[in-house]
Amino acid sequence: MRSILLVAALAATSGCTFVHMAPGATKVKVLASAPTSCEKRGEVEVSVKDRLGPYERSEAQVRDELETLARNEAPGVGADSISPLLPPRDGEQRWAMWRCAR
């Protein structure tokens, strides 16, 4: 009975995100790789839960949440763009933060 309730709870929340965009983060651009003409403002490592008990969360959902967390950090260091330094692993990812606007 307990496992049925857990599965029902996971199904109900599978489309929901646990991470929300902070004010100012919506303007932060996500770049595929390091830009050549931008000023590096720092790096950040972000993490989210990639498992809920014995169940793995959706890889796409984890990636989206990691990106959102990185975007949330960028305005605090004066960055307007971010780029991944490494692919996500075990719910963690490292990002570079850039100021590209002139």
Side-chain angles (χ1 to χ4, degrees):
M1 180 67 169
R2 183 178 278 183
S3 62
I4 292 173
L5 291 175
L6 181 58
V7 170
L10 288 173
T13 61
S14 64
C16 298
T17 183
F18 297 108
V19 178
H20 299 283
M21 191 80 64
T26 56
K27 296 178 182 177
V28 176
K29 296 177 187 168
V30 180
L31 309 173
S33 60
T36 57
S37 61
C38 299
E39 174 190 359
K40 189 169 184 179
R41 302 294 294 173
E43 295 182 8
V44 65
E45 185 169 313
V46 293
S47 64
V48 295
K49 294 281 187 189
D50 63 337
R51 302 182 65 79
L52 295 173
Y55 300 98
E56 286 191 36
R57 295 184 62 219
S58 159
E59 184 178 325
Q61 189 71 39
V62 170
R63 282 180 181 267
D64 287 348
E65 290 178 4
L66 291 169
E67 180 182 296
T68 299
L69 285 172
R71 290 174 73 184
N72 287 348
E73 294 295 322
V77 295
D80 58 19
S81 304
I82 59 171
S83 64
L85 293 171
L86 298 169
R89 182 172 180 195
D90 298 328
E92 296 182 349
Q93 189 173 21
R94 192 152 191 81
W95 295 79
M97 298 181 286
W98 307 92
R99 181 182 304 174
C100 298
R102 304 282 178 223

